Amino acid sequence: QVQLVESGGGLVQAGGSLRLSCAASGRTFSRDAMGWFRQAPGKEREFVAAISWSGGSTYYADSAKGRFTISRDNAKNTVYLQMSSLKPEDTAVYYCAADPVVFSSQAGSWGQGTQVTVSS
């Protein structure tokens, strides 16, 4: 079982940037695809981005394309989500996940989430 701990959330003004981090432990991180999901109040959890174990392939929801970048550092067992040009509609709890099902709301393991709030 993998343990995932997110950090980096917070309050930011519209147009600003944040970088989320997810530290993994418990099994061979470098062999896992990783992803980020989010859940806004009153809404279903949704896929944001995913990255292959090597980092060679990345996938983005339409809402994230051109604004968010997912990356990973296997030496540090960490995956990142760089978010820029943030909008109020990006406000949500962001979850890191291992073994994500790309473009779905499913994954093998989840972190506890980190709150991102974008003010207008």
Side-chain angles (χ1 to χ4, degrees):
Q1 187 73 7
V2 63
Q3 289 78 47
L4 304 170
V5 179
E6 302 96 333
S7 61
L11 174 63
V12 63
Q13 288 188 331
S17 299
L18 279 176
R19 189 177 81 156
L20 306 183
S21 299
C22 173
S25 62
R27 72 180 189 205
T28 309
F29 170 81
S30 62
R31 296 185 179 183
D32 287 335
M34 298 294 295
W36 288 94
F37 295 72
R38 67 186 184 186
Q39 187 168 18
K43 295 189 176 181
E44 298 288 322
R45 187 175 297 185
E46 63 178 7
F47 171 81
V48 175
I51 188 167
S52 63
W53 66 271
S54 67
S57 297
T58 55
Y59 309 87
Y60 295 95
D62 286 344
S63 59
K65 285 180 183 176
R67 300 189 300 125
F68 295 1
T69 302
I70 189 170
S71 62
R72 66 190 296 161
D73 184 339
N74 286 345
K76 295 182 178 180
N77 287 357
T78 301
V79 63
Y80 305 98
L81 185 68
Q82 178 69 48
M83 305 185 293
S84 59
S85 301
L86 283 162
K87 305 174 182 179
E89 51 263 45
D90 294 317
T91 295
V93 177
Y94 283 71
Y95 296 91
C96 175
D99 297 329
V101 180
V102 176
F103 302 125
S104 83
S105 60
Q106 301 176 18
S109 301
W110 299 93
Q112 83 288 351
T114 186
Q115 177 71 46
V116 172
T117 303
V118 184
S119 63
S120 57

